[in-house]
Every structure is written in structure tokens, then in C-alpha cells.
Amino acid sequence: MSTEPPIVSIAEISRHEGEVVTLRGWLYNSTTKGKLCFLQLRDGTGIIQCVLFKKDVEIETFDLAKNLTQESSVIVTGEVRADERSPIGFELGVRDLSLVSMAEPYPISPKEHGVEFLMDHRHLWLRSRRQHAIMRVRAEIVSAIRDYLDGHGFVLIDAPILTPAACEGTSTLFETGYFGQNAFLTQSGQLYQEAGCMAHGKCYCFGPTFRAEKSKTRRHLTEFWMVEPEAAFMDLDEDMELVEDFVMAILDRVLERRREELETLERDVSKLEAVARPFSRMSYDEAVETLKKADQPAEWGDDFGGDEETILASTHTSPVIIHRFPAAIKAFYMKRDPDNEKVVLGMDVLAPEGYGEIVGGGVREDDLASLERAIEKHGLPGEVFSWYTDLRRYGSVPHAGFGLGLERTVAWICGLKHVRETIPFPRLINRLGP
RNA sequence: UCCGGCGUAGCUCAAUCGGUAGAGCGGGUGGCUGUUAACCACUAGGUUGGCGGUUCAAGUCCGUCCGCCGGAGCCA
């Protein structure tokens, strides 16, 4: 009386050496050598080569193996054998093979494809090795973010996605209707976190954010994910310490758990391992001086573009924190530096290797009169911000926080040129599908 | 929105000075007992992005529209 072989995943195949097991998955690639057939089987946890000799299996089984199309779904039973020639150290000696579904001719061949074609087939592209690795790193980063904040006393306070007005006056918002009135997709949950931190001390939100800017660069998506911690009684120095600790925790976690994926992506891991605290702190004034020395046409009062960010970060192997920007180029809610009224207590974190700004944050204006002046000066509708100014009426305290862009962080850690590959289904200025 | 580049087979690309549209991959058929993007042979596959113009002749030159890529601005 024989028992059914256990169903196992490729990731745990090494625990079953010498045993007969059943794998369920999709045909990644195959090749035949006459009376010998190799099937590369993918199950989501890994890829293993399955080998069939014509003499060892039923003729129907061999014919099926020979005729399987790329990405056909199958159930395979066979013996797990150690083999030096295998990239994962094992292969499966097939005894039985059954078809779940024969795939139609698969559009994505193992050869090169253009970005547009691949993006049109994003739902299928996600199955490929590189995209699979990127999504796993992304998931690990998300998990590290949640674990860090949950473990450091930050309470998850979800911010709304539908909002009545801009969080920051300047950026373009996606507009939609809401039972006869105008509504907008959120471009930041921060204002709501300020309410949250007055209730919980420390809180965060982590969700999608929308910007209708017509940006066409490797750093921009119209829909992206941002994590935004906020803490009452936190000052700028503490904010910078928090972001440093936070980024290091994310990086350490990926290096600890996603080495294999980084290898698949051919990421130079030594560059990530070289990242160490403390991150350099550089004031905006110093940054402008640095740029001038590098013969950049930087003037005090200008915001930094991509090239400037790259220059500022290029002399460092770790992220660089730039702080105290001119008030005129920053959002209305930022608190002025009491030592210099021309600048605000804000900070940006620039990732190394030219990945640019991954974090923006700082101390929020906690004085009611100053905040109301700023709202008016930015031409924002005071009525829709009355709840926000209320936070300064009822027990206002100094507080600070930041927002970290998930996709830019994923791009940096994975070493990707463009953020469009860091999110499962990217939304770009000229892409809404699939 | 602005600047630059590109658009040829399902995919990635080639086509000399304006002169018979081609290759590799993928598909199909056959061969092969150790392949790793296998290889070999045969085979099918085209309104050269659309419209208009110049010319004996346009994939190639001109105009225009559409689409994509890269960059700028703005930002995470």
C-alpha cells in the first residue's frame, strides 16, 4: 500500500533529497534532446530542472513533456536528486507528469524585449526572474518598515485617500467627483498623522499617494507608496536620528533576508554593505557651497534638481541628510528655524549612487498664528484646513515626522534605473494599464 | 509643456547614395541521452505607425498627426 508523495515547494526541496515528491507550478523553459527532456519548473518559490528519460516514463508522459508550451501549468512527481550541475543543487527525476492547463503561445520569450512591450504585459512579466526578485525585495522592505514602526511604539493611523483639498498647495492633484462636490486623491497622509500623533504620541500611515504632475523621469510615478511616521515632541535632530535608524533597519533586513534576490538582480551588495551611520548632515547653505565648488550654477534660494542631488550624494557612500531649506521652496506647514527666519526646520534624505531624494520631512509649524499666516500666504482655502489648525488650538506641541518613498527606496536597494519596475502595476503619465 | 531620439514579421533588430524588405528569437514539422537564452535542418509569417507630398522609383527625403523612449521642470 503506497502513500501519495508529499506536495512540496521548490524553496524547501533540499529537505527532501532522495525522496519522491510532487511539485506544482508552471513551465518556465524547456528543451528536448531526443530521448531526453529537460523542464524548468517554476512554482513561485523557486525554479528547478525536471529531467525525463524516455525509457523511464510512460510514452504519453514523455510526449506531453516534449510538447508542453512555455508557462503551461503542470503537476510533476519525481525523485529529488542532488546534482552539481544545478544552480540550486538539486533536480527532479520525473516519474509522472500531468497537465493542468496548456498555455497558448507565450508572448514573453527568454530573449530581449523592449520596455513598452513588457509593460503592456506587466501581468505576465511579473513571472520573470528579475521581476519576481524585485517584488520579493519590495515585500521585504514593506515588512521591515511595518516591523520597525510597530516595534518602536508607532501606532498605525490610516489616512484617507479621498480628500477635500490639497495637503500641499503646489502640486497637481487628481480630481474626482464626490456626490456633487469636488474631491481629490491624497498626495500625503501627513496632515492626518499630525492629528494622529496628538492622540497617540507616535503614529504612522503607509499607503498609496497620488500626484498628477506630468513628470517623465526615472524617479516618478503618478501613484506611489509612502510611509509617513509622525511624533509629538520630536525635534529636527531627533527626526534625523529616527530616519537614520529607520533606513538602516530596512537595509539590514534586506541584506539579511533577500541576498539571493539581490544576487539575481546583480546588485553590487558591497555598496549596500558600505552604508553606515551616522549619515552626514549637511545644511542647505553648505549644500549650495558644495555645488558652487563643483561649478554648478546654484544660487541660494534654488531647489535642487536631479543632477544637483547626485553631486551632493556622490561624495558619500551612505545617504546624506540635507536640512534647513529656504522657506520659500518648502510647504506651508514647515516650521521656521528660530535661529534663522529665512529657513525652515525641514530635511531631505538623498540616497547614494544617484538615487536622489527618498525622504522628505521635518518639524511642523505648531504656532496657530504663524500657521494661519502661512495658509493665507500660500493662497489655500482656510475653511478646509480648519480641522488642521484646530490641532494648534487644543494643546499644540512641537512635532515632526517624515515621508519615505517606497518605490525610490526599492529602486535604490535593488539597484534599478527606473522606479517603474519597483511596483507591481505602475501608473505613469502615459500608462494606466494593465 | 519644452528639448533630443525612435517607430520595419508575434518579439529584438538589420536594410549602403532613394533602386528586388532580411536575420536571430518565438510558432510549426523533423533530428539529437546532459541542456541551462541548447543546437541542426525545413517551414509559415510584412498595409515598413497613420495621412498627405516630392520622385521614373520612398522603409529611406519633406510636411503633419499618433505612439513610445531619454532628459528638463515639479517632487517621494
Side-chain angles (χ1 to χ4, degrees), chain A residues 53 61-62 68 78 118 181 200 216 223 288 314 350 384 389 392-393 418 422 431 433-434:
Chain A
F53 286 98
T61 304
F62 193 78
L68 282 176
L118 289 169
Q181 47 175 314
H200 295 270
K216 264 193 78 174
E223 177 182 310
V288 171
S314 65
L350 306 183
V384 295
T389 49
R392 280 73 180 165
R393 287 190 180 90
H418 202 300
T422 66
R431 176 169 296 279

Side-chain angles (χ1 to χ4, degrees), chain A residues 304-359:
Chain A
F304 303 135
D307 290 347
E308 279 95 356
E309 287 181 355
T310 301
I311 290 165
L312 291 172
S314 65
T315 54
H316 301 80
T317 54
S318 296
V320 177
I321 306 177
I322 316 273
H323 57 87
R324 293 180 172 82
F325 293 88
I329 58 169
K330 288 291 174 182
F332 75 92
Y333 52 72
M334 290 207 169
K335 188 172 180 62
R336 301 271 171 154
D337 185 349
D339 296 334
N340 178 3
E341 281 290 308
K342 285 163 74 180
V343 301
V344 290
L345 297 173
M347 57 107 183
D348 285 356
V349 178
L350 306 183
E353 301 173 70
Y355 282 95
E357 186 181 347
I358 54 169
V359 171

Side-chain angles (χ1 to χ4, degrees), chain A residues 42-148:
Chain A
R42 179 180 73 70
D43 77 344
T45 74
I47 297 175
I48 192 170
Q49 173 160 277
C50 305
V51 188
L52 290 91
F53 286 98
K54 195 171 187 176
K55 63 178 172 53
D56 293 345
V57 295
E58 300 288 329
I59 185 68
E60 295 80 15
T61 304
F62 193 78
D63 284 344
L64 172 62
K66 233 173 46 178
N67 293 317
L68 282 176
T69 52
Q70 191 187 351
E71 288 301 322
S72 287
S73 42
V74 292
I75 297 173
V76 191
T77 299
E79 187 188 345
V80 181
R81 297 190 299 237
D83 193 305
E84 283 180 0
R85 290 165 292 193
S86 162
I88 62 166
F90 297 91
E91 63 178 24
L92 195 78
V94 177
R95 294 187 182 182
D96 198 15
L97 168 73
S98 64
L99 180 69
V100 178
S101 175
M102 187 66 87
E104 292 176 25
Y106 196 63
I108 303 177
S109 70
K111 290 269 180 173
E112 301 168 41
H113 296 282
V115 180
E116 190 192 0
F117 176 81
L118 289 169
M119 275 300 175
D120 284 342
H121 297 84
R122 184 62 172 167
H123 51 297
L124 303 177
W125 190 20
L126 289 172
R127 302 181 185 189
S128 72
R129 267 194 172 98
R130 277 182 62 82
Q131 301 309 312
H132 183 268
I134 294 167
M135 289 310 125
R136 294 217 156 189
V137 174
R138 178 187 169 102
E140 195 65 57
I141 290 171
V142 169
S143 166
I145 285 169
R146 292 194 189 288
D147 286 352
Y148 180 93

Side-chain angles (χ1 to χ4, degrees), chain A residues 153-314:
Chain A
F154 287 81
V155 177
L156 178 68
I157 299 292
D158 298 310
I161 287 170
L162 289 167
T163 63
C167 293
E168 306 173 30
T170 53
S171 302
T172 324
L173 292 163
F174 282 109
E175 194 171 343
T176 182
Y178 195 79
F179 305 114
Q181 47 175 314
N182 287 339
F184 303 90
L185 300 184
T186 184
Q187 60 177 343
S188 167
Q190 181 214 310
L191 268 47
Y192 297 97
Q193 294 314 298
E194 292 187 53
C197 81
M198 298 304 163
H200 295 270
K202 296 198 276 188
C203 62
Y204 74 99
C205 62
F206 192 5
T209 301
F210 306 87
R211 304 272 167 97
E213 288 150 0
K214 296 196 171 174
S215 300
K216 264 193 78 174
T217 81
R218 65 185 67 182
R219 307 205 244 265
H220 288 86
L221 297 165
T222 54
E223 177 182 310
F224 64 98
W225 284 62
M226 189 153 67
V227 56
E228 298 176 276
E230 191 80 19
F233 300 104
M234 186 160 71
D235 65 20
L236 186 62
D237 286 339
E238 292 167 330
D239 201 23
M240 294 194 280
E241 281 163 36
L242 175 65
V243 78
E244 182 181 276
D245 202 44
F246 184 60
V247 169
M248 285 307 297
I250 293 167
L251 200 53
D252 288 345
R253 174 76 161 268
V254 174
L255 285 170
E256 182 195 325
R257 299 194 189 174
R258 293 294 164 199
R259 289 251 164 199
E260 212 177 299
E261 283 77 6
L262 294 177
E263 216 166 279
T264 298
L265 296 168
E266 296 174 302
R267 179 65 164 112
D268 182 353
V269 178
S270 70
K271 292 234 168 69
L272 298 176
E273 287 169 333
V275 174
R277 52 164 45 99
F279 298 169
S280 293
R281 270 79 164 162
M282 186 190 282
S283 71
Y284 173 88
D285 292 11
E286 291 168 323
V288 171
E289 286 310 308
T290 303
L291 290 172
K292 280 181 175 168
K293 279 179 196 158
D295 292 325
Q296 289 290 307
E299 287 301 322
W300 199 96
D302 295 346
D303 210 347
F304 303 135
D307 290 347
E308 279 95 356
E309 287 181 355
T310 301
I311 290 165
L312 291 172
S314 65

